[in-house]
Amino acid sequence: VQLQASGGGLVQAGDSLRLSCAVSGRTVANYVVGWFRQAPGKEREFVAAIGRIKHYADSVKGRFAISRDNAKDTVDLQMDSLKPEDTAIYYCALDALFRTSRRDSNYYSDRLTYNYWGQGTQVTVSS
């Protein structure tokens, strides 16, 4: 199983970016896929996930949107109205459970839910 994150870059506050996570070895329609981020000196934190539900961190609700393309086995993260505090390395991750029936948000936001991680893509937002 491999995950490849792409789409990061340097933008100004208020701009948009679209990240993409390409998954190989698994069909994304059957697993929860999440996005996390890690800023310098901080712990990795949950951003958004998609499975039977979509779940977002409070800090990105209304600005970020997660979507899935089952035909391409990709999961995208559309990020609008970016803020300097969104600056981080963004990682995508894949759940280990096949077709989990879980819908609780705690499951989707827990790093321990995910067994497979991509290499990360840098997002830098200047003020």
Side-chain angles (χ1 to χ4, degrees):
V1 178
Q2 290 188 327
L3 287 80
Q4 181 74 37
S6 62
L10 172 63
V11 297
Q12 294 187 332
D15 285 352
S16 298
L17 274 177
R18 188 175 185 89
L19 306 183
S20 186
C21 178
V23 178
S24 58
R26 290 289 188 273
T27 301
V28 298
N30 293 328
Y31 296 88
V32 176
V33 178
W35 283 95
F36 289 75
R37 65 187 181 187
Q38 188 166 17
K42 295 187 177 181
E43 291 191 355
R44 192 169 298 189
E45 65 174 7
F46 170 74
V47 176
I50 185 169
R52 293 184 181 272
I53 64 168
K54 295 180 182 180
H55 179 48
Y56 298 92
D58 288 342
S59 60
V60 306
K61 278 182 182 176
R63 299 189 298 122
F64 290 12
I66 192 169
S67 61
R68 181 175 60 203
D69 187 328
N70 294 337
K72 296 181 180 179
D73 280 327
T74 58
V75 173
D76 288 357
L77 184 68
Q78 177 66 38
M79 306 187 296
D80 298 324
S81 302
L82 283 162
K83 304 175 181 180
E85 50 263 45
D86 295 317
T87 295
I89 299 175
Y90 283 70
Y91 300 88
C92 58
L94 185 78
D95 181 15
L97 297 181
F98 178 72
R99 291 183 181 174
T100 178
S101 60
R102 299 287 293 269
R103 295 176 179 266
D104 49 300
S105 57
N106 288 340
Y107 180 83
Y108 283 65
S109 61
D110 189 348
R111 284 180 294 174
L112 297 178
T113 293
Y114 303 89
N115 272 26
Y116 304 99
W117 293 80
Q119 85 292 355
T121 184
Q122 176 71 50
V123 172
T124 303
V125 185
S126 63
S127 57

